Amino acid sequence: MTAPQSPRDDIAEVVLSAEEIAETVDALAARLTEDVGCLQPIMVGVLTGAFVFLADLVRRLDFPLEVDFVEASSYGESTVGGEVVIRIDLTRDVEGRHVVLVDDILDTGRTLSALRSTLRKRGARSVRTCCLLDKPDRREVDFEADYVGAKIPDVFVVGYGLDYAHGHRNLPFIGVLRTELYQSTQA
Ligand code: 5GP
Ligand code: MG
């Protein structure tokens, strides 16, 4: 029997190894512990990309917290005014609560910026934003996350929750796809 094809075969270059990710998540966890360790925060993962990061992050946070998720899309006409479409909403009422929005990567800034506004409008006591990766060159709105794991250049990355066409989320590291994979699907 031949071995199944590995998503690793599609990677041209590793941007953050599993070890580097672990160190980065450790550092973020230390900062969050200092800032929200006494606030019983709701840690809200932005689906789907943040599911791996959030799972690793909360296991390094040794204080009371809750976990929730939101799925939002910043793509389409409705995003022009800085709004996002919420496809899966939180299960919790955030009124009076401290919230940490957790996303995989900060790109144009539209998603986290709009989600933060939405949660503030719902009466959250505070909304902090945390992302593993940041591509500052791609920003389209005036937004910076409170906690950033690592800044990367303007490249499309996959792995550790991040997908390309719904695949590659299960890679334990973050890497750049081989260019011919984009070109073959864009044709
Ligand atoms: P934005 O900051 O543009 O509103 O959106 C951020 C979202 O776009 C992320 O949560 C992620 O889903 C997606 N995204 C942005 N850059 C990349 C990337 O390099 N790779 C992948 N897989 N998704 C990305
Ligand atoms: Mg996302």
Short mmCIF file of all heavy atoms in Angstrom, two decimals, residues 76-140:
data_model
loop_
_atom_site.label_atom_id
_atom_site.label_comp_id
_atom_site.label_asym_id
_atom_site.label_seq_id
_atom_site.Cartn_x
_atom_site.Cartn_y
_atom_site.Cartn_z
N GLY A 76 -16.87 40.38 0.74
CA GLY A 76 -18.16 40.73 0.14
C GLY A 76 -18.47 42.20 0.31
O GLY A 76 -17.78 42.93 1.00
N GLU A 77 -19.51 42.62 -0.34
CA GLU A 77 -19.90 44.03 -0.41
C GLU A 77 -20.12 44.63 0.97
O GLU A 77 -19.81 45.78 1.22
CB GLU A 77 -21.21 44.15 -1.20
CG GLU A 77 -21.07 43.84 -2.67
CD GLU A 77 -20.16 44.81 -3.39
OE1 GLU A 77 -20.43 46.01 -3.29
OE2 GLU A 77 -19.19 44.36 -4.01
N SER A 78 -20.67 43.85 1.86
CA SER A 78 -21.09 44.39 3.15
C SER A 78 -19.91 44.81 4.02
O SER A 78 -20.10 45.38 5.08
CB SER A 78 -21.91 43.34 3.89
OG SER A 78 -21.13 42.19 4.08
N THR A 79 -18.69 44.54 3.57
CA THR A 79 -17.54 44.87 4.41
C THR A 79 -17.01 46.28 4.12
O THR A 79 -16.13 46.75 4.81
CB THR A 79 -16.37 43.88 4.18
OG1 THR A 79 -15.92 44.04 2.86
CG2 THR A 79 -16.80 42.47 4.44
N VAL A 80 -17.57 46.93 3.12
CA VAL A 80 -17.05 48.23 2.73
C VAL A 80 -17.08 49.22 3.88
O VAL A 80 -16.14 49.95 4.12
CB VAL A 80 -17.83 48.79 1.50
CG1 VAL A 80 -17.39 50.21 1.18
CG2 VAL A 80 -17.61 47.89 0.30
N GLY A 81 -18.15 49.20 4.64
CA GLY A 81 -18.26 50.11 5.78
C GLY A 81 -17.58 49.58 7.02
O GLY A 81 -17.82 50.08 8.11
N GLY A 82 -16.75 48.57 6.88
CA GLY A 82 -16.03 48.04 8.02
C GLY A 82 -16.82 46.99 8.79
O GLY A 82 -16.46 46.59 9.89
N GLU A 83 -17.92 46.53 8.21
CA GLU A 83 -18.72 45.52 8.91
C GLU A 83 -18.34 44.13 8.44
O GLU A 83 -17.82 43.94 7.36
CB GLU A 83 -20.20 45.74 8.62
CG GLU A 83 -20.75 46.93 9.38
CD GLU A 83 -22.22 47.13 9.11
OE1 GLU A 83 -22.89 46.16 8.74
OE2 GLU A 83 -22.67 48.27 9.26
N VAL A 84 -18.61 43.16 9.29
CA VAL A 84 -18.44 41.76 8.88
C VAL A 84 -19.77 41.05 9.03
O VAL A 84 -20.63 41.47 9.79
CB VAL A 84 -17.38 41.03 9.74
CG1 VAL A 84 -15.99 41.50 9.44
CG2 VAL A 84 -17.70 41.12 11.20
N VAL A 85 -19.91 39.99 8.27
CA VAL A 85 -21.10 39.17 8.39
C VAL A 85 -20.79 38.09 9.43
O VAL A 85 -19.82 37.35 9.28
CB VAL A 85 -21.42 38.50 7.03
CG1 VAL A 85 -22.65 37.60 7.16
CG2 VAL A 85 -21.62 39.56 5.97
N ILE A 86 -21.60 38.03 10.49
CA ILE A 86 -21.41 36.98 11.49
C ILE A 86 -22.20 35.76 11.05
O ILE A 86 -23.42 35.81 10.92
CB ILE A 86 -21.84 37.46 12.90
CG1 ILE A 86 -20.89 38.56 13.36
CG2 ILE A 86 -21.85 36.29 13.89
CD1 ILE A 86 -21.09 39.03 14.78
N ARG A 87 -21.48 34.68 10.78
CA ARG A 87 -22.15 33.47 10.28
C ARG A 87 -22.49 32.51 11.42
O ARG A 87 -23.49 31.80 11.36
CB ARG A 87 -21.26 32.75 9.27
CG ARG A 87 -20.99 33.61 8.04
CD ARG A 87 -20.18 32.84 7.01
NE ARG A 87 -19.70 33.74 5.98
CZ ARG A 87 -20.44 34.19 4.97
NH1 ARG A 87 -21.68 33.81 4.84
NH2 ARG A 87 -19.92 35.01 4.08
N ILE A 88 -21.62 32.46 12.41
CA ILE A 88 -21.92 31.69 13.62
C ILE A 88 -21.67 32.64 14.79
O ILE A 88 -20.56 33.16 14.94
CB ILE A 88 -21.02 30.44 13.76
CG1 ILE A 88 -21.22 29.50 12.56
CG2 ILE A 88 -21.29 29.71 15.07
CD1 ILE A 88 -20.23 28.34 12.53
N ASP A 89 -22.70 32.86 15.58
CA ASP A 89 -22.56 33.85 16.65
C ASP A 89 -22.10 33.19 17.95
O ASP A 89 -22.18 31.96 18.10
CB ASP A 89 -23.89 34.57 16.87
CG ASP A 89 -23.70 36.00 17.37
OD1 ASP A 89 -22.64 36.30 17.94
OD2 ASP A 89 -24.61 36.80 17.18
N LEU A 90 -21.62 34.01 18.87
CA LEU A 90 -21.24 33.52 20.21
C LEU A 90 -22.45 32.89 20.89
O LEU A 90 -23.59 33.25 20.59
CB LEU A 90 -20.78 34.67 21.09
CG LEU A 90 -19.40 35.28 20.84
CD1 LEU A 90 -19.47 36.35 19.78
CD2 LEU A 90 -18.88 35.88 22.12
N THR A 91 -22.19 32.01 21.83
CA THR A 91 -23.28 31.44 22.62
C THR A 91 -23.48 32.25 23.90
O THR A 91 -24.49 32.09 24.57
CB THR A 91 -22.99 29.98 23.01
OG1 THR A 91 -21.80 29.95 23.81
CG2 THR A 91 -22.77 29.12 21.78
N ARG A 92 -22.51 33.08 24.27
CA ARG A 92 -22.54 33.83 25.52
C ARG A 92 -23.02 35.25 25.33
O ARG A 92 -22.78 35.85 24.29
CB ARG A 92 -21.13 33.97 26.12
CG ARG A 92 -20.45 32.75 26.47
CD ARG A 92 -20.97 32.18 27.76
NE ARG A 92 -20.08 31.13 28.17
CZ ARG A 92 -19.87 30.04 27.45
NH1 ARG A 92 -20.51 29.85 26.34
NH2 ARG A 92 -19.03 29.13 27.87
N ASP A 93 -23.61 35.79 26.38
CA ASP A 93 -23.90 37.21 26.45
C ASP A 93 -22.62 37.87 26.99
O ASP A 93 -22.14 37.50 28.06
CB ASP A 93 -25.07 37.42 27.42
CG ASP A 93 -25.47 38.88 27.50
OD1 ASP A 93 -24.83 39.71 26.84
OD2 ASP A 93 -26.42 39.17 28.24
N VAL A 94 -22.08 38.80 26.25
CA VAL A 94 -20.81 39.41 26.67
C VAL A 94 -20.99 40.64 27.55
O VAL A 94 -20.02 41.23 27.99
CB VAL A 94 -19.90 39.77 25.46
CG1 VAL A 94 -19.52 38.52 24.69
CG2 VAL A 94 -20.57 40.80 24.56
N GLU A 95 -22.23 41.03 27.77
CA GLU A 95 -22.48 42.27 28.54
C GLU A 95 -21.78 42.21 29.91
O GLU A 95 -21.94 41.25 30.66
CB GLU A 95 -23.97 42.49 28.73
CG GLU A 95 -24.23 43.89 29.23
CD GLU A 95 -25.71 44.23 29.31
OE1 GLU A 95 -26.54 43.47 28.80
OE2 GLU A 95 -26.00 45.28 29.92
N GLY A 96 -20.98 43.23 30.17
CA GLY A 96 -20.29 43.32 31.45
C GLY A 96 -19.08 42.40 31.58
O GLY A 96 -18.43 42.38 32.63
N ARG A 97 -18.76 41.68 30.51
CA ARG A 97 -17.65 40.70 30.58
C ARG A 97 -16.40 41.24 29.88
O ARG A 97 -16.47 42.05 28.97
CB ARG A 97 -18.06 39.38 29.89
CG ARG A 97 -19.26 38.71 30.49
CD ARG A 97 -19.01 38.23 31.90
NE ARG A 97 -17.87 37.34 32.02
CZ ARG A 97 -17.95 36.00 31.87
NH1 ARG A 97 -19.09 35.43 31.61
NH2 ARG A 97 -16.86 35.26 32.01
N HIS A 98 -15.27 40.71 30.32
CA HIS A 98 -13.99 40.98 29.64
C HIS A 98 -13.80 39.91 28.56
O HIS A 98 -13.91 38.73 28.85
CB HIS A 98 -12.84 40.95 30.65
CG HIS A 98 -12.96 42.01 31.69
ND1 HIS A 98 -12.57 43.31 31.48
CD2 HIS A 98 -13.46 41.98 32.96
CE1 HIS A 98 -12.79 44.04 32.56
NE2 HIS A 98 -13.34 43.25 33.48
N VAL A 99 -13.54 40.38 27.36
CA VAL A 99 -13.45 39.46 26.22
C VAL A 99 -12.07 39.56 25.59
O VAL A 99 -11.50 40.65 25.48
CB VAL A 99 -14.52 39.81 25.15
CG1 VAL A 99 -14.38 38.92 23.93
CG2 VAL A 99 -15.92 39.71 25.73
N VAL A 100 -11.53 38.42 25.20
CA VAL A 100 -10.31 38.40 24.39
C VAL A 100 -10.66 37.74 23.06
O VAL A 100 -11.01 36.55 23.03
CB VAL A 100 -9.15 37.64 25.07
CG1 VAL A 100 -7.90 37.70 24.19
CG2 VAL A 100 -8.86 38.20 26.46
N LEU A 101 -10.60 38.50 21.99
CA LEU A 101 -10.84 37.95 20.65
C LEU A 101 -9.54 37.34 20.15
O LEU A 101 -8.50 38.01 20.14
CB LEU A 101 -11.26 39.07 19.70
CG LEU A 101 -12.74 39.42 19.62
CD1 LEU A 101 -12.92 40.72 18.84
CD2 LEU A 101 -13.53 38.29 18.96
N VAL A 102 -9.60 36.09 19.73
CA VAL A 102 -8.39 35.36 19.34
C VAL A 102 -8.50 34.94 17.88
O VAL A 102 -9.42 34.21 17.50
CB VAL A 102 -8.20 34.11 20.23
CG1 VAL A 102 -6.96 33.34 19.80
CG2 VAL A 102 -8.11 34.51 21.70
N ASP A 103 -7.58 35.43 17.06
CA ASP A 103 -7.60 35.04 15.64
C ASP A 103 -6.24 34.50 15.23
O ASP A 103 -5.23 34.74 15.90
CB ASP A 103 -8.01 36.22 14.76
CG ASP A 103 -8.64 35.77 13.44
OD1 ASP A 103 -8.68 34.55 13.18
OD2 ASP A 103 -9.10 36.65 12.68
N ASP A 104 -6.23 33.76 14.12
CA ASP A 104 -4.99 33.18 13.64
C ASP A 104 -4.06 34.24 13.07
O ASP A 104 -2.89 34.28 13.40
CB ASP A 104 -5.28 32.08 12.59
CG ASP A 104 -6.28 32.53 11.53
OD1 ASP A 104 -6.66 33.72 11.49
OD2 ASP A 104 -6.68 31.68 10.72
N ILE A 105 -4.62 35.11 12.22
CA ILE A 105 -3.76 36.06 11.51
C ILE A 105 -4.49 37.36 11.27
O ILE A 105 -5.68 37.37 10.98
CB ILE A 105 -3.26 35.43 10.18
CG1 ILE A 105 -2.20 36.31 9.51
CG2 ILE A 105 -4.37 35.12 9.23
CD1 ILE A 105 -1.40 35.57 8.44
N LEU A 106 -3.77 38.43 11.44
CA LEU A 106 -4.30 39.78 11.21
C LEU A 106 -3.80 40.23 9.85
O LEU A 106 -2.59 40.31 9.62
CB LEU A 106 -3.80 40.70 12.33
CG LEU A 106 -4.19 42.15 12.31
CD1 LEU A 106 -5.68 42.34 12.28
CD2 LEU A 106 -3.59 42.84 13.53
N ASP A 107 -4.75 40.54 8.97
CA ASP A 107 -4.40 40.82 7.59
C ASP A 107 -4.85 42.25 7.27
O ASP A 107 -4.18 43.20 7.66
CB ASP A 107 -5.09 39.76 6.72
CG ASP A 107 -4.67 39.78 5.28
OD1 ASP A 107 -3.49 39.98 5.01
OD2 ASP A 107 -5.53 39.57 4.40
N THR A 108 -6.01 42.44 6.65
CA THR A 108 -6.50 43.81 6.40
C THR A 108 -6.91 44.48 7.70
O THR A 108 -6.97 45.71 7.78
CB THR A 108 -7.72 43.80 5.46
OG1 THR A 108 -8.81 43.15 6.12
CG2 THR A 108 -7.41 43.09 4.15
N GLY A 109 -7.25 43.70 8.69
CA GLY A 109 -7.70 44.24 9.97
C GLY A 109 -9.21 44.35 10.07
O GLY A 109 -9.75 44.66 11.13
N ARG A 110 -9.91 44.09 8.96
CA ARG A 110 -11.36 44.30 8.94
C ARG A 110 -12.10 43.38 9.91
O ARG A 110 -13.01 43.82 10.61
CB ARG A 110 -11.91 44.08 7.52
CG ARG A 110 -11.47 45.16 6.57
CD ARG A 110 -12.14 45.03 5.20
NE ARG A 110 -11.58 45.99 4.27
CZ ARG A 110 -11.91 47.27 4.23
NH1 ARG A 110 -12.81 47.74 5.05
NH2 ARG A 110 -11.34 48.09 3.36
N THR A 111 -11.71 42.12 9.96
CA THR A 111 -12.46 41.16 10.78
C THR A 111 -12.38 41.52 12.26
O THR A 111 -13.41 41.70 12.93
CB THR A 111 -11.92 39.73 10.58
OG1 THR A 111 -11.85 39.46 9.18
CG2 THR A 111 -12.81 38.70 11.25
N LEU A 112 -11.18 41.65 12.79
CA LEU A 112 -11.04 41.91 14.23
C LEU A 112 -11.56 43.29 14.60
O LEU A 112 -12.16 43.47 15.66
CB LEU A 112 -9.59 41.75 14.68
CG LEU A 112 -9.12 40.31 14.90
CD1 LEU A 112 -7.69 40.30 15.43
CD2 LEU A 112 -10.03 39.55 15.86
N SER A 113 -11.34 44.25 13.73
CA SER A 113 -11.81 45.61 14.00
C SER A 113 -13.34 45.62 14.11
O SER A 113 -13.90 46.18 15.06
CB SER A 113 -11.33 46.52 12.86
OG SER A 113 -11.96 47.74 12.91
N ALA A 114 -14.01 44.98 13.16
CA ALA A 114 -15.48 44.97 13.18
C ALA A 114 -16.02 44.12 14.32
O ALA A 114 -16.99 44.49 14.97
CB ALA A 114 -16.00 44.46 11.83
N LEU A 115 -15.38 42.99 14.59
CA LEU A 115 -15.86 42.15 15.69
C LEU A 115 -15.71 42.87 17.03
O LEU A 115 -16.57 42.79 17.90
CB LEU A 115 -15.10 40.82 15.73
CG LEU A 115 -15.55 39.76 14.70
CD1 LEU A 115 -14.64 38.55 14.77
CD2 LEU A 115 -17.00 39.35 14.94
N ARG A 116 -14.59 43.58 17.18
CA ARG A 116 -14.39 44.32 18.42
C ARG A 116 -15.49 45.37 18.61
O ARG A 116 -16.07 45.50 19.69
CB ARG A 116 -13.02 44.99 18.41
CG ARG A 116 -12.68 45.69 19.72
CD ARG A 116 -11.28 46.25 19.73
NE ARG A 116 -11.13 47.33 18.76
CZ ARG A 116 -10.02 48.02 18.55
NH1 ARG A 116 -8.92 47.71 19.23
NH2 ARG A 116 -9.96 48.98 17.66
N SER A 117 -15.84 46.08 17.53
CA SER A 117 -16.93 47.07 17.61
C SER A 117 -18.24 46.40 17.99
O SER A 117 -18.99 46.91 18.82
CB SER A 117 -17.14 47.76 16.26
OG SER A 117 -15.98 48.35 15.82
N THR A 118 -18.52 45.26 17.37
CA THR A 118 -19.78 44.55 17.65
C THR A 118 -19.86 44.17 19.12
O THR A 118 -20.88 44.37 19.77
CB THR A 118 -19.86 43.28 16.77
OG1 THR A 118 -19.83 43.68 15.40
CG2 THR A 118 -21.14 42.50 17.03
N LEU A 119 -18.77 43.64 19.67
CA LEU A 119 -18.80 43.19 21.06
C LEU A 119 -18.87 44.37 22.03
O LEU A 119 -19.49 44.28 23.09
CB LEU A 119 -17.60 42.29 21.37
CG LEU A 119 -17.55 40.99 20.54
CD1 LEU A 119 -16.42 40.10 21.01
CD2 LEU A 119 -18.87 40.23 20.60
N ARG A 120 -18.24 45.46 21.65
CA ARG A 120 -18.37 46.67 22.48
C ARG A 120 -19.81 47.16 22.48
O ARG A 120 -20.35 47.53 23.52
CB ARG A 120 -17.46 47.78 21.94
CG ARG A 120 -16.01 47.60 22.36
CD ARG A 120 -15.15 48.68 21.76
NE ARG A 120 -13.77 48.61 22.21
CZ ARG A 120 -12.75 49.21 21.60
NH1 ARG A 120 -12.96 49.93 20.50
NH2 ARG A 120 -11.53 49.10 22.08
N LYS A 121 -20.45 47.13 21.31
CA LYS A 121 -21.86 47.56 21.23
C LYS A 121 -22.75 46.67 22.07
O LYS A 121 -23.77 47.10 22.58
CB LYS A 121 -22.34 47.52 19.77
CG LYS A 121 -21.94 48.73 18.96
CD LYS A 121 -22.56 48.70 17.58
CE LYS A 121 -21.73 49.52 16.61
NZ LYS A 121 -21.62 48.91 15.29
N ARG A 122 -22.36 45.41 22.20
CA ARG A 122 -23.15 44.49 23.02
C ARG A 122 -22.89 44.66 24.52
O ARG A 122 -23.43 43.93 25.32
CB ARG A 122 -22.84 43.05 22.63
CG ARG A 122 -23.37 42.68 21.25
CD ARG A 122 -23.04 41.24 20.94
NE ARG A 122 -23.41 40.91 19.57
CZ ARG A 122 -23.25 39.72 19.02
NH1 ARG A 122 -22.74 38.73 19.74
NH2 ARG A 122 -23.62 39.49 17.77
N GLY A 123 -22.01 45.58 24.86
CA GLY A 123 -21.81 45.90 26.27
C GLY A 123 -20.67 45.18 26.96
O GLY A 123 -20.60 45.16 28.20
N ALA A 124 -19.76 44.61 26.17
CA ALA A 124 -18.58 43.98 26.80
C ALA A 124 -17.83 45.03 27.62
O ALA A 124 -17.71 46.18 27.22
CB ALA A 124 -17.67 43.39 25.73
N ARG A 125 -17.35 44.61 28.78
CA ARG A 125 -16.64 45.56 29.66
C ARG A 125 -15.30 45.94 29.06
O ARG A 125 -14.84 47.07 29.16
CB ARG A 125 -16.46 44.90 31.02
CG ARG A 125 -16.06 45.85 32.08
CD ARG A 125 -16.53 45.38 33.43
NE ARG A 125 -15.82 46.06 34.48
CZ ARG A 125 -15.67 45.60 35.70
NH1 ARG A 125 -16.22 44.43 36.02
NH2 ARG A 125 -15.01 46.27 36.59
N SER A 126 -14.62 44.98 28.45
CA SER A 126 -13.41 45.27 27.70
C SER A 126 -13.29 44.25 26.58
O SER A 126 -13.78 43.13 26.71
CB SER A 126 -12.16 45.21 28.60
OG SER A 126 -11.91 43.88 29.01
N VAL A 127 -12.67 44.67 25.48
CA VAL A 127 -12.40 43.73 24.38
C VAL A 127 -10.93 43.86 24.00
O VAL A 127 -10.49 44.91 23.52
CB VAL A 127 -13.28 44.01 23.13
CG1 VAL A 127 -13.02 42.96 22.06
CG2 VAL A 127 -14.76 44.06 23.48
N ARG A 128 -10.17 42.80 24.24
CA ARG A 128 -8.77 42.76 23.82
C ARG A 128 -8.69 41.86 22.59
O ARG A 128 -9.52 40.97 22.42
CB ARG A 128 -7.88 42.23 24.94
CG ARG A 128 -7.77 43.18 26.12
CD ARG A 128 -7.11 42.51 27.30
NE ARG A 128 -6.82 43.41 28.39
CZ ARG A 128 -7.69 43.79 29.32
NH1 ARG A 128 -8.95 43.35 29.27
NH2 ARG A 128 -7.34 44.61 30.29
N THR A 129 -7.67 42.12 21.76
CA THR A 129 -7.53 41.30 20.55
C THR A 129 -6.15 40.66 20.52
O THR A 129 -5.15 41.29 20.87
CB THR A 129 -7.74 42.16 19.29
OG1 THR A 129 -6.87 43.29 19.36
CG2 THR A 129 -9.17 42.64 19.17
N CYS A 130 -6.13 39.40 20.12
CA CYS A 130 -4.89 38.63 20.15
C CYS A 130 -4.80 37.82 18.87
O CYS A 130 -5.75 37.12 18.50
CB CYS A 130 -4.96 37.68 21.37
SG CYS A 130 -3.63 36.48 21.46
N CYS A 131 -3.68 37.92 18.17
CA CYS A 131 -3.52 37.07 16.99
C CYS A 131 -2.11 36.48 16.98
O CYS A 131 -1.16 37.10 17.46
CB CYS A 131 -3.82 37.82 15.71
SG CYS A 131 -2.90 39.30 15.52
N LEU A 132 -2.02 35.30 16.44
CA LEU A 132 -0.73 34.63 16.39
C LEU A 132 0.19 35.33 15.40
O LEU A 132 1.36 35.56 15.67
CB LEU A 132 -0.92 33.16 15.99
CG LEU A 132 0.37 32.35 15.88
CD1 LEU A 132 1.02 32.18 17.25
CD2 LEU A 132 0.10 30.99 15.25
N LEU A 133 -0.36 35.67 14.23
CA LEU A 133 0.45 36.30 13.18
C LEU A 133 -0.14 37.63 12.77
O LEU A 133 -1.35 37.84 12.86
CB LEU A 133 0.51 35.38 11.94
CG LEU A 133 1.08 33.99 12.14
CD1 LEU A 133 0.92 33.20 10.85
CD2 LEU A 133 2.54 34.06 12.56
N ASP A 134 0.73 38.48 12.28
CA ASP A 134 0.30 39.81 11.81
C ASP A 134 1.04 40.11 10.52
O ASP A 134 2.26 39.95 10.43
CB ASP A 134 0.65 40.85 12.89
CG ASP A 134 0.20 42.26 12.52
OD1 ASP A 134 -0.50 42.42 11.50
OD2 ASP A 134 0.55 43.21 13.25
N LYS A 135 0.26 40.53 9.50
CA LYS A 135 0.87 40.99 8.24
C LYS A 135 0.61 42.49 8.13
O LYS A 135 -0.35 42.93 7.50
CB LYS A 135 0.21 40.26 7.06
CG LYS A 135 0.54 38.79 7.01
CD LYS A 135 0.28 38.18 5.64
CE LYS A 135 -1.16 37.86 5.45
NZ LYS A 135 -1.36 36.92 4.30
N PRO A 136 1.45 43.31 8.78
CA PRO A 136 1.17 44.76 8.83
C PRO A 136 1.12 45.42 7.47
O PRO A 136 0.40 46.41 7.30
CB PRO A 136 2.32 45.32 9.68
CG PRO A 136 3.27 44.22 9.93
CD PRO A 136 2.66 42.93 9.52
N ASP A 137 1.84 44.88 6.48
CA ASP A 137 1.85 45.49 5.15
C ASP A 137 0.49 45.43 4.46
O ASP A 137 0.26 46.13 3.46
CB ASP A 137 2.86 44.77 4.23
CG ASP A 137 4.27 44.90 4.75
OD1 ASP A 137 4.50 45.77 5.61
OD2 ASP A 137 5.14 44.11 4.31
N ARG A 138 -0.39 44.58 4.95
CA ARG A 138 -1.67 44.37 4.27
C ARG A 138 -2.82 45.18 4.87
O ARG A 138 -3.96 45.08 4.42
CB ARG A 138 -2.02 42.88 4.37
CG ARG A 138 -1.06 41.98 3.61
CD ARG A 138 -1.64 41.56 2.32
NE ARG A 138 -2.99 41.05 2.49
CZ ARG A 138 -3.87 40.91 1.52
NH1 ARG A 138 -3.54 41.26 0.29
NH2 ARG A 138 -5.07 40.44 1.75
N ARG A 139 -2.53 45.98 5.89
CA ARG A 139 -3.61 46.63 6.62
C ARG A 139 -4.41 47.59 5.75
O ARG A 139 -3.85 48.37 5.00
CB ARG A 139 -3.05 47.38 7.83
CG ARG A 139 -4.07 47.51 8.93
CD ARG A 139 -4.36 46.21 9.70
NE ARG A 139 -3.42 46.05 10.78
CZ ARG A 139 -2.47 45.10 10.78
NH1 ARG A 139 -2.34 44.27 9.77
NH2 ARG A 139 -1.66 45.00 11.80
N GLU A 140 -5.74 47.52 5.86
CA GLU A 140 -6.63 48.43 5.12
C GLU A 140 -7.42 49.33 6.05
O GLU A 140 -8.05 50.28 5.61
CB GLU A 140 -7.60 47.63 4.24
CG GLU A 140 -6.92 46.95 3.07
CD GLU A 140 -7.84 46.03 2.31
OE1 GLU A 140 -9.07 46.08 2.52
OE2 GLU A 140 -7.33 45.24 1.50
#
